[in-house]
Amino acid sequence: METRNAQLLNISTNDTHANFTAKAEPKDSSVALQAGLAVTLALITLATTLSNAFVIATIYQSRKLHTPANFLIASLAVTDLLVSILVMPISALYTVSQTWTLGQVVCDIWLSSDITCCTASILHLCVIALDRYWAITDAVEYSKKRTPARAAGMIATAWVIAISISLPPFFWRQVKAEEVTSCNVNTDHIFYTIYSTFGAFYIPTLLLIALYGRIYVEARKRILKQAHKPGKRLTSAHLITNSPGSVASTTSLNYGTNDSSSCDTTSSANVSQVKVTVSDALLEKKRISAAREKKATKTLGIILGAYIICWLPFFIYTLLVPLCDSCFHPELFDIFTWLGYLNSLINPIIYTMSNEDFKQAFHKLIRFRCFRA
């Protein structure tokens, strides 16, 4: 009897231990998953902050970059920096914990900052595209209008539109007496959802596609025009020979002067050689200009592609969820939100790494910081 009781007690103890182990393992894996997610989101936030801060510092330090076009890029970096400081840290905490613990007031401020800063970032892309469109299609006239004051006006317009999109939810916000455990934009107002998504994404996206399409076509025209344009030699080549090639001109200079003295021959050859070299330098300059146009055209595709990949899933989700809430998994919202935030990290990388002046100024800034350290 005692043996049987001991066996039953042993079996009961083993079952309890097995149940405890089964419960502990999912809990441990959940904690590990949360820790990994927290580290990943923290790294993305830190990288976004540092990259945009370096862009601002680079433009501030380098006088060469003090142009209206670069002021727009600096303003974009400021906007993305605000996203990384005001929005991403709280979003990371909310994403990891899956519950809101900061109260109603912080929730309202955070949502307003999120909508305003992210919309302003998107609208800055439109402002930069519009500036480049005017610069490439009406270069002479726009060069006179392209002033810091005009850039400031374009930046102010982007912020006004962004704020006008973030304010409406405050008019129908209801103060909850109970403890707030979630913090989301109210999607019950379908008209506001349409207004905000179209104002913050769909209309700017159509504008970006139209502008970059026109810029691409114009850039291609310039590339093809420069590629098919015959090389113009200086008139010095015609003093010796009618051959359009610099090698042929040099050869005739060296071997086709029998009646001249050795000194005159040498002097004539040197002068003509210098002039031909200058001519080749002009052709090289045109070739470099065509290469830059081609690189700029490629950069436009990268900018537009990165923007659409980052933000399109979020705004499709935002537009369709009010129509069919059960059609989407809630965790998709967090994934699409952080994919959109990722655009604030990509922007400074694309806009600076595609510009040689930015690269040089950035390297000088890094060397200066290292030297001071």
Side-chain angles (χ1 to χ4, degrees), residues 12-85:
S12 177
T13 303
N14 291 337
D15 290 343
T16 303
H17 179 71
N19 291 335
F20 178 77
T21 304
K23 291 178 181 178
E25 286 179 356
K27 186 177 181 180
D28 291 341
S29 62
S30 177
V31 170
L33 184 63
Q34 282 185 322
L37 181 61
V39 171
T40 302
L41 298 183
L43 289 175
I44 293 173
T45 302
L46 181 62
T48 305
T49 302
L50 292 177
S51 60
N52 286 288
F54 268 113
V55 169
I56 297 166
T58 300
I59 295 175
Y60 178 78
Q61 291 282 349
S62 178
R63 289 186 176 275
K64 188 178 180 181
L65 297 177
H66 290 183
T67 64
N70 289 330
F71 289 157
L72 296 178
I73 294 178
S75 182
L76 172 65
V78 170
T79 307
D80 288 331
L81 182 64
L82 291 176
V83 173
S84 69
I85 294 174

Side-chain angles (χ1 to χ4, degrees), residues 180 249 271:
V180 178
S249 299
V271 171

Side-chain angles (χ1 to χ4, degrees), residues 133-146 222:
Y133 170 74
W134 285 330
I136 200 170
T137 57
D138 190 18
V140 177
E141 288 297 322
Y142 187 61
S143 62
K144 303 173 185 176
K145 304 174 184 176
R146 205 179 196 184
R222 292 190 179 187

Side-chain angles (χ1 to χ4, degrees), residues 197 201-202 311-322 328 336:
T197 54
F201 177 76
Y202 291 107
W311 279 116
L312 183 60
F314 173 83
F315 281 98
I316 290 177
Y317 181 95
T318 303
L319 192 61
L320 296 182
V321 159
F328 300 93
F336 294 157

Side-chain angles (χ1 to χ4, degrees), residues 59-115:
I59 295 175
Y60 178 78
Q61 291 282 349
S62 178
R63 289 186 176 275
K64 188 178 180 181
L65 297 177
H66 290 183
T67 64
N70 289 330
F71 289 157
L72 296 178
I73 294 178
S75 182
L76 172 65
V78 170
T79 307
D80 288 331
L81 182 64
L82 291 176
V83 173
S84 69
I85 294 174
L86 301 178
V87 180
M88 294 172 72
I90 297 177
S91 182
L93 177 64
Y94 190 26
T95 302
V96 173
S97 64
Q98 290 296 310
T99 183
W100 186 261
T101 58
L102 302 177
Q104 182 67 54
V105 175
V106 177
C107 174
D108 292 337
I109 295 173
W110 175 65
L111 286 178
S112 178
S113 301
D114 189 354
I115 297 171

Side-chain angles (χ1 to χ4, degrees), residues 136 214-224 293-294 296-297 300:
I136 200 170
R214 291 292 302 274
I215 293 171
Y216 175 82
V217 170
E218 188 65 28
R220 289 295 298 172
K221 283 182 181 178
R222 292 190 179 187
I223 293 169
L224 294 174
E293 292 281 1
K294 189 174 182 180
T297 305
L300 295 182

Side-chain angles (χ1 to χ4, degrees), residues 79-370:
T79 307
D80 288 331
L81 182 64
L82 291 176
V83 173
S84 69
I85 294 174
L86 301 178
V87 180
M88 294 172 72
I90 297 177
S91 182
L93 177 64
Y94 190 26
T95 302
V96 173
S97 64
Q98 290 296 310
T99 183
W100 186 261
T101 58
L102 302 177
Q104 182 67 54
V105 175
V106 177
C107 174
D108 292 337
I109 295 173
W110 175 65
L111 286 178
S112 178
S113 301
D114 189 354
I115 297 171
T116 302
C117 293
C118 291
T119 303
S121 177
I122 292 172
L123 293 177
H124 268 76
L125 299 180
C126 293
V127 166
I128 292 171
L130 199 58
D131 175 73
R132 290 185 173 182
Y133 170 74
W134 285 330
I136 200 170
T137 57
D138 190 18
V140 177
E141 288 297 322
Y142 187 61
S143 62
K144 303 173 185 176
K145 304 174 184 176
R146 205 179 196 184
T147 62
R150 186 184 182 92
M154 296 168 75
I155 292 167
T157 302
W159 278 104
V160 168
I161 296 173
I163 292 171
S164 70
I165 291 174
S166 67
L167 281 180
F170 283 96
F171 294 108
W172 57 72
R173 180 180 68 86
Q174 296 178 352
V175 179
K176 299 178 182 179
E178 69 274 8
E179 184 180 356
V180 178
T181 58
S182 63
C183 182
N184 299 301
V185 177
N186 190 349
T187 57
D188 295 338
H189 296 77
I190 186 65
F191 290 109
Y192 171 72
T193 301
I194 295 172
Y195 162 73
S196 61
T197 54
F198 273 81
F201 177 76
Y202 291 107
I203 293 175
T205 300
L206 291 175
L207 179 62
L208 280 172
I209 292 172
L211 290 174
Y212 279 149
R214 291 292 302 274
I215 293 171
Y216 175 82
V217 170
E218 188 65 28
R220 289 295 298 172
K221 283 182 181 178
R222 292 190 179 187
I223 293 169
L224 294 174
K225 185 177 180 181
Q226 290 175 351
H228 292 91
K229 193 173 182 180
K232 290 183 178 179
R233 295 294 181 186
L234 295 180
T235 55
S236 60
H238 296 287
L239 296 175
I240 306 300
T241 178
N242 292 327
S243 173
S246 61
V247 176
S249 299
T250 304
T251 303
S252 63
L253 286 170
N254 290 336
Y255 296 101
T257 54
N258 298 323
D259 298 332
S260 304
S261 66
S262 176
C263 181
D264 292 340
T265 303
T266 305
S267 175
S268 176
N270 287 339
V271 171
S272 298
Q273 182 63 42
V274 169
K275 290 183 178 180
V276 170
T277 303
V278 172
S279 176
D280 288 341
L282 293 174
L283 293 175
E284 180 66 14
K285 186 176 180 180
K286 290 180 180 179
R287 188 190 66 79
I288 293 172
S289 177
R292 284 181 177 176
E293 292 281 1
K294 189 174 182 180
K295 184 179 180 181
T297 305
K298 183 180 178 181
T299 302
L300 295 182
I302 296 173
I303 292 170
L304 191 58
Y307 159 74
I308 291 175
I309 290 171
C310 286
W311 279 116
L312 183 60
F314 173 83
F315 281 98
I316 290 177
Y317 181 95
T318 303
L319 192 61
L320 296 182
V321 159
L323 303 176
C324 182
D325 192 13
S326 60
C327 298
F328 300 93
H329 199 283
E331 290 182 355
L332 283 176
F333 181 78
D334 292 331
I335 296 172
F336 294 157
T337 298
W338 276 92
L339 186 61
Y341 293 157
L342 200 62
N343 191 236
S344 293
L345 172 60
I346 293 173
N347 283 336
I349 295 173
I350 295 176
Y351 278 99
T352 56
M353 291 300 101
S354 60
N355 189 312
E356 289 298 328
D357 292 336
F358 262 105
K359 284 183 183 179
Q360 294 173 8
F362 184 76
H363 290 154
K364 287 181 181 178
L365 180 65
I366 292 293
R367 287 196 298 270
F368 176 72
R369 295 294 182 189
C370 292

